[in-house]
Amino acid sequence: KAGVTQTPRYLIKTRGQQVTLSCSPISGHRSVSWYQQTPGQGLQFLFEYFSETQRNKGNFPGRFSGRQFSNSRSEMNVSTLELGDSALYLCASSLASGPQETQYFGPGTRLLVL
Amino acid sequence: AQSVTQPDIHITVSEGASLELRCNYSYGATPYLFWYVQSPGQGLQLLLKYFSGDTLVQGIKGFEAEFKRSQSSFNLRKPSVHWSDAAEYFCAVGARNTDKLIFGTGTRLQVFP
């Protein structure tokens, strides 16, 4: 069974631009979460989606948004990029929402903002 | 508020030596606790998790962790470290009805031959 797929793997953008990252969960998984990983702040929770509904949102500005499609694929968008948005963005999927379900992480999308 | 503390930023051990990585958590109710490992350029892989029951939890790759409520700790152990265990290790706490995890800052493990 294929794992969690994230595209693109690497991305370079300039300040002020916007970016869309994609996450394809493991087949059959309906829950998707996003995390931002930086050397300074570590791993921080961004969003959680289940059956196209956002169930939880982390403490990030409104420039960060996301959505989930009917096939459980998810996208996150960052508008008006800032230098501090440079990070590894990780997506995780699980069968259903809740800590009892194992979350499987993708390899991440590394975003560099210049 | 939930929080996780990993006091050790960097640990170096010799191959074959035993290992203990420390994790302390803050959570009002019975926590859902996790240990993840991240190899360079990779995502996170779940090593083990604790929800309830037996406080000694066995995981993959020969790792185990012990939940101690009185000390608010969930330390990860391995009796004999292999060079392939070199990676970054994250402790995390979760809550009921959400996938959201609060991660510690991580401990980087270096293994010398």
Side-chain angles (χ1 to χ4, degrees):
Chain A
K1 188 184 261 189
V4 177
T5 304
Q6 292 189 245
T7 56
R9 291 292 310 276
Y10 303 93
L11 205 50
I12 300 176
K13 292 285 188 180
T14 57
R15 279 182 300 173
Q17 288 187 309
Q18 75 164 15
V19 67
T20 299
L21 312 181
S22 179
C23 171
S24 293
I26 292 172
S27 177
H29 285 195
R30 296 169 62 193
S31 185
V32 173
S33 296
W34 289 88
Y35 292 84
Q36 181 196 64
Q37 185 175 23
T38 60
Q41 300 297 316
L43 280 154
Q44 294 187 286
F45 171 80
L46 280 159
F47 324 98
E48 173 189 354
Y49 288 90
F50 180 74
S51 293
E52 302 180 67
T53 300
Q54 186 179 93
R55 289 173 55 92
N56 214 336
K57 187 178 191 300
N59 189 24
F60 279 82
R63 300 185 297 107
F64 290 80
S65 63
R67 59 178 176 170
Q68 186 181 31
F69 302 96
S70 58
N71 62 357
S72 295
R73 190 177 70 85
S74 178
E75 288 181 348
M76 66 163 284
N77 183 278
V78 188
S79 63
T80 319
L81 283 166
E82 301 178 359
L83 296 179
D85 297 332
S86 295
L88 180 67
Y89 290 89
L90 293 166
C91 164
S93 77
S94 58
L95 276 170
S97 185
Q100 294 94 331
E101 298 291 342
T102 296
Q103 291 189 62
Y104 296 87
F105 282 79
T109 294
R110 188 165 294 281
L111 171 65
L112 177 61
V113 182
L114 301 176
Chain B
Q2 301 171 59
S3 67
V4 177
T5 301
Q6 293 181 248
D8 304 307
I9 296 172
H10 188 199
I11 284 183
T12 302
V13 299
S14 299
E15 191 170 19
S18 63
L19 173 70
E20 182 169 28
L21 303 183
R22 295 183 291 164
C23 172
N24 292 97
Y25 68 89
S26 173
Y27 187 67
T30 299
Y32 297 85
L33 293 164
F34 307 81
W35 274 99
Y36 283 86
V37 61
Q38 186 178 36
S39 298
Q42 304 290 318
L44 299 168
Q45 182 182 23
L46 179 67
L47 288 175
L48 47 79
K49 57 188 176 184
Y50 171 79
F51 298 148
S52 63
D54 192 350
T55 57
L56 186 61
V57 181
Q58 302 297 320
I60 62 171
K61 304 186 180 188
F63 286 94
E64 67 178 26
E66 186 171 12
F67 170 64
K68 292 185 177 180
R69 184 187 299 277
S70 61
Q71 298 176 22
S72 297
S73 70
F74 188 57
N75 294 349
L76 182 71
R77 300 194 294 248
K78 187 169 184 177
S80 178
V81 171
H82 188 262
W83 64 267
S84 61
D85 293 324
E88 189 147 22
Y89 292 79
F90 294 92
C91 181
V93 64
R96 187 182 296 182
N97 297 326
T98 178
D99 283 345
K100 176 182 177 180
L101 296 174
I102 305 295
F103 285 91
T105 50
T107 297
R108 182 167 298 279
L109 174 65
Q110 193 170 7
V111 181
F112 281 111

